[in-house]
Amino acid sequence: MIVYREAPTLARDLGVGLHTLYALSNRLSAHYHTVELTKPNGGVRRLTVPDEALKGVQRSIARNLLACRELSPYATAYRYGAGTVRNASAHVGKARLLKMDIYHFFDSVNYSAVKDAVFPAEVFSEPLRILLTMLCYYQDALPQGAPTSPAVANILMRDFDEDVGGWCARRGIAYTRYCDDLTFSGDAGLAGAYRYAEARLREKGFLVNRRKTLYLDAGRRQCVTGLVVNEKVDVPAEYRRALRQELYYCKKFGLEEHLRSVGWEGDPTAYARRLLGRFSYALQVRPEDRALLEGKAWLVEELNRRAGK
């Protein structure tokens, strides 16, 4: 493990001038802006996004200081080889399912927690701990648009994941955490898992979003991070149906005409890329689905045509 006691050594390994690091940390408000994204339910998600100068430094911190940190196997987001499919796979075919959500997760992370867990005193000198925490933290929250925030969240929650995951494993309960979504599954004991997890979250300064807490028996459709897990990991039928319908109208009327009919005013090429991403996502789960394969092939051909290839 590399130990950082002097600022010039840290700046060298980050590939950023020391003056730049301090200049950015001293004027953070000048390097962030707010972006609003519409949620599928019609709500609005506000992201605090750094400008290119700060983002470049944060990417270097994530790559050179955070990527090597050990994470819990129960964390299934923001790491190589993980994702929604892996998160859902742990809960296939279980009699009962419990889903919990951490209320305002990123907004509830406090400065001292980041400093202590992510930039510990045994690795960084106190001035460097303060500097690095400032570069990854903003306005009493973990900025959701910052490249460092996903890694910081996983490192911050490692002890919680190990604690709760171990408690569950001893009782035959499967547990995973995908960012702020906690999922438990098993034949029994989920009420106890809820109480245990809620108590551990409170100890870390987090609250459970009770409105998003769900208990699902095997007789109902069980979804984990958007994927059905009753018998196998699968894409919901309505999601596949919507993709096929969208593609049908694109092929029948052409992209521009279809987008005009639905009132979409963005770039048709950007829309096609986004639709291709949705097809590719579904194919991760259903790699041999003929309709999905044909849809992806058509979109790739359409994008190539538009690019003049």
Side-chain angles (χ1 to χ4, degrees):
M1 177 186 295
I2 299 176
V3 176
Y4 291 97
R5 296 300 175 195
E6 302 295 333
T9 305
L10 175 67
R12 180 200 65 200
D13 286 0
L14 292 178
V16 181
L18 188 58
H19 178 270
T20 299
L21 294 177
Y22 282 112
L24 290 170
S25 68
N26 288 332
R27 297 188 68 246
L28 289 173
S29 61
H31 298 281
Y32 279 106
H33 63 279
T34 301
V35 174
E36 294 188 348
L37 301 178
T38 303
K39 298 180 182 179
N41 63 6
V44 175
R45 181 187 300 277
R46 290 179 176 84
L47 302 183
T48 305
V49 181
D51 63 12
E52 288 305 314
L54 181 55
K55 188 180 295 184
V57 171
Q58 290 172 338
R59 284 173 177 156
S60 183
I61 292 172
R63 181 174 59 252
N64 294 293
L65 302 181
L66 306 182
C68 60
R69 296 288 295 276
E70 183 179 358
L71 304 178
S72 168
Y74 300 106
T76 58
Y78 311 137
R79 60 187 302 180
Y80 180 77
T84 57
V85 177
R86 176 177 165 184
N87 186 62
S89 296
H91 306 285
V92 171
K94 301 298 178 63
R96 299 207 74 199
L97 186 76
L98 164 64
K99 298 166 66 175
M100 298 172 64
D101 178 87
I102 303 174
Y103 184 74
H104 289 179
F105 175 56
F106 287 93
D107 292 339
S108 300
V109 173
N110 62 60
Y111 174 92
S112 61
V114 175
K115 182 182 172 186
D116 292 342
V118 183
F119 304 109
E122 59 266 28
V123 178
F124 302 93
S125 66
E126 186 64 16
L128 297 186
R129 296 177 71 203
I130 294 172
L131 173 63
L132 289 167
T133 304
M134 289 179 66
L135 290 169
C136 298
Y137 196 80
Y138 181 60
Q139 289 188 340
D140 297 325
L142 205 57
Q144 290 192 50
T148 44
S149 292
V152 168
N154 275 344
I155 295 168
L156 190 65
M157 294 296 287
R158 182 180 183 277
D159 290 346
F160 170 87
D161 289 334
E162 291 295 315
D163 182 2
V164 173
W167 187 95
C168 289
R170 292 189 293 273
R171 292 160 177 79
I173 298 171
Y175 162 70
T176 59
R177 180 183 60 82
Y178 190 90
C179 187
D180 56 355
D181 292 327
L182 282 56
T183 307
F184 305 81
S185 62
D187 296 328
L190 298 191
Y194 176 92
R195 290 192 294 271
Y196 190 82
E198 182 182 37
R200 301 291 81 77
L201 285 171
R202 284 184 178 276
E203 290 173 0
K204 295 186 72 69
F206 298 115
L207 298 176
V208 173
N209 188 342
R210 296 180 183 275
R211 292 185 304 168
K212 293 187 177 181
T213 299
L214 290 175
Y215 286 94
L216 299 170
D217 293 325
R220 301 170 61 187
R221 188 173 76 168
Q222 298 174 327
C223 280
V224 177
T225 47
L227 297 170
V228 180
V229 297
N230 290 73
E231 298 178 0
K232 63 178 183 178
V233 178
D234 203 357
V235 180
E238 62 269 23
Y239 187 91
R240 304 196 309 271
R241 190 161 51 246
L243 285 181
R244 291 195 299 269
Q245 183 181 54
E246 199 78 2
L247 184 70
Y248 169 80
Y249 289 124
C250 289
K251 293 170 71 173
K252 181 176 181 179
F253 302 110
L255 274 177
E256 282 81 2
E257 185 59 34
H258 169 58
L259 294 180
R260 274 195 294 270
S261 69
V262 298
W264 202 83
E265 299 179 354
D267 177 22
T269 300
Y271 169 85
R273 290 197 189 101
R274 188 168 66 176
L275 186 58
L276 176 61
R278 293 170 61 196
F279 270 88
S280 298
Y281 166 73
L283 281 166
Q284 292 180 35
V285 185
R286 301 172 65 92
E288 298 181 4
D289 188 299
R290 183 175 177 179
L292 293 175
L293 288 168
E294 291 177 351
K296 179 179 179 179
W298 186 87
L299 285 164
V300 169
E301 182 178 347
E302 176 68 14
L303 285 168
N304 286 338
R305 184 185 67 78
R306 289 171 175 271
K309 296 182 180 179

